[in-house]
Amino acid sequence: MPIAPPRPCTHPGCVALVRDGSGRCAKHPKPAWQKPANATKRITGRRLQAMRADLFTRKPLCEVCEPLGRVRLATIRDHRVPLAEGGADDCGPGSNEQAICDECHDEKSLQEQIRGRMRAAGNGCPPSGR
């Protein structure tokens, strides 16, 4: 059975060789992910289904596409301010929910993912030149 060659630790600036395949040396273990203590609780189950039905009845078209002159059916109940960034999981007029299409949701999710990775790396803003 072949054995993989040792690789440098993935922690920035560390050059220690790692032989166990974990990617990190003993000095720089990767921290386990934990949900923040102040994280917003998600609504689930029948209550969520009723909220989605109510939202799509009130707003059947994508709220992001409409101002751009595109007409697309809303398929996803999304949060304007993500729950991970302190947004509320509420419903009704003036709430944090919005009805959007799959394409707009994918684009918004990508931006949220980039922001989350920047926060995790300890850098509050994206690198210059992007």
Side-chain angles (χ1 to χ4, degrees):
M1 179 151 73
I3 297 175
R7 297 177 182 240
C9 175
T10 58
H11 183 77
C14 183
V15 294
L17 294 177
V18 179
R19 290 170 169 60
D20 64 1
S22 69
R24 293 290 184 106
C25 68
K27 289 182 185 176
H28 305 109
K30 200 166 195 173
W33 183 85
Q34 287 184 326
K35 191 177 211 178
N38 61 349
T40 304
K41 178 153 175 34
R42 284 188 174 272
I43 296 172
T44 59
R46 293 188 188 216
R47 183 173 171 211
L48 174 62
Q49 291 173 358
M51 290 168 70
R52 282 175 43 89
D54 178 55
L55 175 65
F56 295 143
T57 301
R58 286 184 287 119
K59 300 176 181 177
L61 300 178
C62 176
E63 294 181 47
V64 177
C65 290
E66 275 187 304
L68 303 173
R70 297 185 300 216
V71 178
R72 289 197 182 137
L73 193 62
T75 55
I76 297 176
R77 176 185 178 263
D78 185 57
H79 300 94
R80 286 184 175 87
V81 178
L83 299 181
E85 295 177 8
D89 198 2
D90 54 2
C91 64
S95 68
N96 189 35
E97 72 177 354
Q98 64 181 347
I100 64 175
C101 65
D102 289 331
E103 187 178 319
C104 291
H105 181 262
D106 291 345
E107 186 176 325
K108 183 175 179 281
S109 294
L110 179 63
Q111 295 303 316
E112 291 169 3
Q113 184 181 48
I114 291 170
R115 285 196 311 266
R117 287 183 178 174
M118 290 299 186
R119 277 193 309 273
N123 185 359
C125 58
S128 59
R130 278 194 146 185

